[in-house]
């Protein structure tokens, strides 16, 4: 199937500064794709070009195979939910939702019917129709903004991290709701955020942006379990990182401590110099148990994460993170042995 | 220091602050109050304390055909200045505060210069320029002179309003399919409305009370402040303070009316939609 949106070598310069470097991405009909990157990675520049408020310096943006680089935002069949939501403060909730329909001169009665339908779909009571925007809570505003965007009936709906200002619990609820709405409407959603957590929950695919380059594109599982490099691995969550050098026999030597590690059999990058292990892949070993890689150290800190516990273990002056379900038998100050099977680590390019 | 003595010092400071504010207000308003008092004197000449109170000068002002003509001129000039300055200032303010363009920085600085230029010199300069161009001064040239001084002020007032609202509101409307014109009429203008209103009020009152620019540029169409000045210089009559007092009263009503209107506007916004 042909992609609904295609970016071909999209390049954006601001003066001499390269904001985006030859971005290639295909987005398919009905997909939920999230573009994730730290601040300054170029994600805002990218989304502005995708909605038509900016143009690439070179390269093409294709909507269903047609080049749309120069088509203005108000002529494109797509729309965006803004970071600030951009709800019109001088209009009621109903008038906000009906705005795109009013622009198309849809008669008042059918506009209203559609607005009511959308309120219902977004779990807002009908009485909200007459409410003022500033009478709505943060979560309600999110829903109104989404309703307004859905009233536009876009082919692709873009999101510029609209959830970032909300508190944690509300954000979690809305993330799931957003995903459910995307499923039920079957629309293509393209979301940008700096939060990988948000991306993991909602997305079919994630594209990771770093200083203007698309580093990796894949499903959340692919990216989590097979990151392309050390940056992506670190971006996806807390991880232990050892700098290593590879000997001719395939064993790895820690460049800081001289400790030898057994290399993972599946190696993402043959010239990798970063051996990375997620905290939950490391175990505290009881006396006598052996593993491919074992280190001895002292348990220095423990943090409760609710269902899990995270420990800091000091090994040769370095801190190694270990995460367990439940609690360990050892306490702070105890000497412990930690270990991991060779294949649960990743050897990546630094 | 004990909590009690801190409280006592705090109370004393508050009393001093209130006293200070009161002294300043009296200092600022005493001249206007003096004008009010002078307008109620029964005598033709200003003697204080006066023997008898009277409202005869108010009657004289309201029945004088001469003064009616001056009022008409002032209204004409102030009305024209208000309308033209608001239209210029809305677009000027958008250029000032919203859209990035080459030379915006220069524009932002140069715009303010006429405000700091002494008005008497500005008036004379405009008069010389008019005579060089062969234009006879009249109410239209007075309007022009007032605009030079008032448009920058109104532009600034409306700019403040523009800085106060999120530019993504306009972008969102545009993104939802609105044309540039629809964005302006449906989003920008309604949001600017309070700024436009207070800008218009400023324009009217500043033009209404202006003397130094009018005196050079209004030619035969003299305005109220000019008449007052000429009567103060020669042929004083208590009609001057009476008319002055009337003008102040009208201005006060205008300002309070505007305040009430803006409160009404805010309340309407607070429950917008509910009253549909």
């Amino acid at each position: 199937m042909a992609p609904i949106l295609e970016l071909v070598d999209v390049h954006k310069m601001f003066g001499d500064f390269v904001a985006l470097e030859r971005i290639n991405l295909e987005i398919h009909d009905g997909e939920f794709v999230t573009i994730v990157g730290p601040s300054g990675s170029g994600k805002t520049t990218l989304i502005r070009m995708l909605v038509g408020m900016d143009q690439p310096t070179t390269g093409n943006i294709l909507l269903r195979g047609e080049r749309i680089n120069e088509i203005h935002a108000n002529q494109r069949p797509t729309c965006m939910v803004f970071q600030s939501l951009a709800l019109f403060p001088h209009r009621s909730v109903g008038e906000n939702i009906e705005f795109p329909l009013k622009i198309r001169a849809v008669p008042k009665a059918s506009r209203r019917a559609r607005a009511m339908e959308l309120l219902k779909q977004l779990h807002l009571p009908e009485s909200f129709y007459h409410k003022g925007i500033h009478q709505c809570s943060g979560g309600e505003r999110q829903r109104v903004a989404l309703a307004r965007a859905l009233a536009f009936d876009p082919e692709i709906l873009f999101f510029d991290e609209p959830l970032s200002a909300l508190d944690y619990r509300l954000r979690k609820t809305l993330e799931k709701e957003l995903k459910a709405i995307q499923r039920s409407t079957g629309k293509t959603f393209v979301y940008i955020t700096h939060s990988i957590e948000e991306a993991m929950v909602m997305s079919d695919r994630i594209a990771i942006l770093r200083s203007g380059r698309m580093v990796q594109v894949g499903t959340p599982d692919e990216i989590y379990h097979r990151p392309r490099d050390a940056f992506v691995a670190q971006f996806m969550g807390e991880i232990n990182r050892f700098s290593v050098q590879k000997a001719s026999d395939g064993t790895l030597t820690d460049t800081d401590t001289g400790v030898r590690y057994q290399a993972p059999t599946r190696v993402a990058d043959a010239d990798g110099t970063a051996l990375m292990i997620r905290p939950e892949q490391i175990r505290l070993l009881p006396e006598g148990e052996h593993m491919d890689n074992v280190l001895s150290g002292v348990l220095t800190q423990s943090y409760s994460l609710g269902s899990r516990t995270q420990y800091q273990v000091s090994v040769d002056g370095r801190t190694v993170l270990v995460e367990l379900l439940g609690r360990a038998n050892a306490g702070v100050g105890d000497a412990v042995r930690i270990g991991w099977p060779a294949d649960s680590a990743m050897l990546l390019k630094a | 220091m004990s909590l009690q003595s801190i409280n006592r010092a705090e109370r004393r400071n508050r009393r001093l602050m209130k006293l200070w504010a009161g002294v300043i207000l009296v200092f600022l308003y005493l001249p206007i109050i003096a004008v009010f008092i002078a307008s109620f004197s029964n005598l033709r000449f200003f003697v204080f304390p006066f023997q008898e109170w009277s409202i005869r000068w108010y009657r004289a002002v309201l029945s004088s055909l001469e003064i009616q003509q001056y009022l008409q001129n002032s209204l004409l000039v102030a009305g024209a200045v208000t309308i033209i300055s608001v239209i210029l200032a809305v677009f000027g303010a958008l250029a000032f505060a919203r859209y990035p363009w080459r030379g915006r920085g220069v524009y932002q600085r140069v715009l303010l210069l006429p405000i700091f230029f002494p008005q008497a010199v500005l008036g004379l300069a405009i008069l010389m320029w008019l005579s060089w161009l062969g234009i006879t001064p009249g109410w239209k040239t007075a309007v022009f002179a007032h605009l030079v001084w008032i448009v920058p002020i109104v532009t600034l007032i409306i700019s403040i309003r523009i800085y106060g609202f999120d530019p993504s509101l306009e972008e969102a409307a545009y993104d939802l399919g609105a044309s540039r014109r629809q964005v302006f009429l449906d989003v920008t203008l309604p949001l600017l409305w309070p700024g436009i209103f207070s800008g218009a009020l400023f324009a009217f009152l500043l033009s209404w009370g202006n003397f130094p620019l009018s005196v050079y540029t209004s030619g035969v169409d003299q305005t109220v402040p000019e008449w007052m000045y000429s009567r103060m210089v020669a042929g004083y009559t208590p009609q001057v303070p009476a008319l002055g007092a009337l003008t102040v009263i009208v201005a006060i009503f205008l300002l309070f009316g505007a305040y009430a209107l803006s409160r009404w506007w805010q309340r309407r916004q607070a429950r917008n939609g509910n009253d549909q």
Side-chain angles (χ1 to χ4, degrees):
Chain A
M1 196 171 59
I4 183 166
L5 187 72
E6 198 176 353
L7 280 73
V8 185
D9 282 339
V10 168
H11 202 77
K12 179 70 181 177
M13 312 271 294
F14 291 113
D16 286 338
F17 174 72
V18 181
L20 290 170
E21 201 177 329
R22 296 167 60 85
I23 303 287
N24 285 285
L25 182 66
E26 284 184 6
I27 291 167
H28 296 277
D29 224 338
E31 239 188 337
F32 196 133
V33 174
T34 304
I35 298 166
V36 200
S39 50
S41 58
K43 54 188 193 302
T44 303
T45 309
L46 184 58
I47 199 122
R48 287 184 69 83
M49 293 193 303
L50 295 183
V51 295
M53 291 187 293
D54 210 339
Q55 290 177 16
T57 311
T58 59
N60 286 319
I61 301 171
L62 309 173
L63 183 71
R64 296 197 191 284
E66 264 178 73
R67 187 185 131 112
I68 55 164
N69 288 20
E70 284 88 21
I71 297 186
H72 286 279
N74 65 346
Q75 302 296 329
R76 292 191 188 187
T78 60
C79 73
M80 171 156 90
V81 176
F82 285 68
Q83 183 165 22
S84 65
L85 302 182
L87 292 168
F88 306 129
H90 59 298
R91 298 286 176 85
S92 67
V93 167
E95 288 171 317
N96 263 281
I97 298 175
E98 288 175 16
F99 183 83
L101 303 173
K102 200 177 137 202
I103 293 295
R104 282 178 219 157
V106 174
K108 176 79 187 153
S110 41
R111 253 161 39 198
R112 193 185 161 112
R114 179 70 182 132
M116 289 301 182
E117 230 174 82
L118 286 163
L119 282 174
K120 199 173 164 201
Q121 191 182 351
L122 292 164
H123 313 296
L124 290 170
E126 285 195 354
S127 61
F128 265 63
Y129 186 84
H130 289 303
K131 262 200 175 178
I133 291 303
H134 46 265
Q135 289 174 295
C136 299
S137 70
E140 287 158 0
R141 285 180 202 197
Q142 297 282 341
R143 294 192 171 101
V144 175
L146 184 57
R148 185 176 70 178
L150 288 172
F152 180 83
D153 195 25
E155 290 200 33
I156 304 174
L157 187 44
F158 295 100
F159 295 85
D160 183 3
E161 43 189 333
L163 301 180
S164 59
L166 297 174
D167 66 72
Y168 182 80
R169 281 188 50 179
L170 187 54
R171 201 163 67 222
K172 290 288 144 202
T173 314
L174 287 172
E175 280 168 11
K176 286 177 184 151
E177 257 180 51
L178 201 57
K179 178 73 194 162
I181 285 163
Q182 190 258 341
R183 285 252 172 76
S184 66
T185 56
K187 287 206 179 296
T188 310
F189 279 22
V190 176
Y191 196 100
I192 71 164
T193 178
H194 63 273
S195 158
I196 188 71
E197 259 187 277
E198 219 166 279
M200 297 284 281
V201 175
M202 298 186 293
S203 320
D204 297 321
R205 280 193 308 147
I206 295 175
I208 294 185
L209 207 59
R210 180 199 188 186
S211 1
R213 286 187 205 199
M214 203 66 100
V215 196
Q216 191 170 3
V217 183
T219 65
D221 281 348
E222 266 168 24
I223 292 187
Y224 190 78
H225 294 294
R226 292 200 295 281
R228 183 162 297 164
D229 62 19
F231 169 82
V232 176
Q234 270 167 333
F235 194 64
M236 296 302 289
E238 284 187 302
I239 195 160
N240 294 294
R241 176 177 179 165
F242 305 113
S243 314
V244 291
Q245 213 166 22
K246 202 175 189 176
S248 51
D249 65 346
T251 56
L252 305 169
T253 311
D254 195 307
T255 53
D256 295 325
T257 60
V259 176
R260 290 172 151 269
Y261 303 112
Q262 200 177 320
T265 45
R266 176 177 59 78
V267 172
D269 204 297
D271 326 312
T273 56
L275 185 69
M276 311 195 75
I277 314 112
R278 298 238 172 250
E280 68 267 22
Q281 306 279 10
I282 303 184
R283 289 180 42 208
L284 286 176
L285 301 179
E287 204 59 48
E289 185 175 339
H290 192 74
M291 267 200 180
D292 298 344
N293 292 294
V294 177
L295 296 171
S296 299
V298 178
L299 204 155
T300 54
Q301 288 279 7
S302 89
Y303 306 98
S304 175
L305 305 175
S307 56
R308 291 158 300 137
T309 315
Q310 191 181 79
Y311 296 98
Q312 286 186 1
V313 178
S314 175
V315 179
D316 300 326
R318 266 189 325 205
T319 300
V320 178
L321 296 176
V322 180
E323 217 170 277
L324 304 175
L325 267 172
R327 300 192 68 86
N329 290 323
V332 171
D334 293 355
V336 290
R337 285 166 70 237
I338 58 173
W340 67 91
D343 278 345
S344 62
M346 300 175 283
L347 186 61
L348 301 169
K349 200 153 51 180
Chain B
M1 218 179 353
S2 75
L3 203 63
Q4 217 173 9
S5 66
I6 292 176
N7 277 341
R8 211 175 300 137
E10 171 91 350
R11 269 203 300 277
R12 195 195 58 215
N13 284 347
R14 277 210 192 140
R15 266 204 299 275
L16 280 174
M17 239 143 59
K18 276 181 191 158
L19 187 69
W20 176 251
V23 169
I24 294 280
L25 279 180
V26 169
F27 182 76
L28 286 177
Y29 283 97
L30 204 55
I32 295 175
I33 293 165
V35 167
F36 269 85
I37 294 170
S39 68
F40 287 108
S41 159
N42 189 28
L43 295 176
R44 184 147 185 64
F45 302 102
F46 191 60
V47 194
F48 196 80
F50 34 81
Q51 275 64 39
E52 218 178 316
W53 295 77
S54 150
I55 54 162
R56 60 183 271 221
W57 304 115
Y58 283 88
R59 280 209 205 92
V61 163
L62 293 175
S63 58
S64 156
L65 288 175
E66 187 199 7
I67 290 176
Q68 263 179 32
Q69 184 57 50
Y70 292 119
L71 280 171
Q72 252 175 38
N73 290 343
S74 274
L75 269 178
L76 187 64
V77 171
V81 165
T82 304
I83 292 165
I84 299 170
S85 67
V86 162
I87 293 169
L88 290 177
V90 166
F91 297 105
L94 286 170
F96 187 97
R98 175 65 85 238
Y99 302 107
W101 48 285
R102 271 170 70 106
R104 182 168 94 150
V106 177
Y107 166 70
Q108 284 176 335
R109 278 169 217 123
V110 170
L111 179 73
L112 295 177
L113 278 182
I115 303 177
F116 300 115
F117 211 65
Q119 284 186 60
V121 181
L122 189 64
L124 181 62
I126 292 173
L127 179 64
M128 286 161 65
W129 189 55
L130 290 174
S131 79
W132 182 70
L133 287 173
I135 297 170
T136 317
W139 69 270
K140 288 178 202 152
T141 52
V143 167
F144 176 78
H146 285 195
L147 285 174
V148 172
W149 191 65
I150 288 171
V151 167
I153 296 171
V154 182
T155 305
L156 276 190
I157 291 169
I158 296 177
S159 294
I160 293 167
R161 183 74 197 169
I162 294 178
Y163 280 121
F165 82 80
D166 181 5
S168 67
L169 291 173
E170 288 168 336
E171 284 183 336
Y174 188 63
D175 183 43
L176 289 168
S179 65
R180 295 270 182 217
R181 209 180 73 95
Q182 283 169 318
V183 171
F184 183 74
L185 294 178
D186 276 7
V187 180
T188 314
L189 214 50
L191 288 170
L192 285 189
W193 189 232
I196 291 172
F197 184 71
S198 48
L201 205 62
F202 262 85
F204 186 86
L205 291 174
L206 288 175
S207 170
W208 178 267
N210 188 282
F211 172 70
L213 292 170
S214 303
V215 81
Y216 284 108
T217 55
S218 69
V220 289
D221 303 322
Q222 292 214 327
T223 61
V224 171
E226 286 177 80
W227 174 78
M228 288 181 188
Y229 177 75
S230 63
R231 279 313 179 107
M232 293 302 289
V233 171
Y236 173 79
T237 150
Q239 288 180 36
V240 172
L243 181 56
L246 280 175
T247 322
V248 171
I249 289 166
V250 171
I252 287 172
F253 272 106
L254 214 59
L255 287 171
F256 273 101
Y259 176 71
L261 209 69
S262 75
R263 285 301 299 265
W264 171 81
W265 172 268
Q266 278 168 5
R267 274 203 305 276
R268 202 188 77 114
Q269 286 237 310
R271 51 181 169 78
N272 71 9
N274 272 359
D275 48 5
Q276 282 179 349

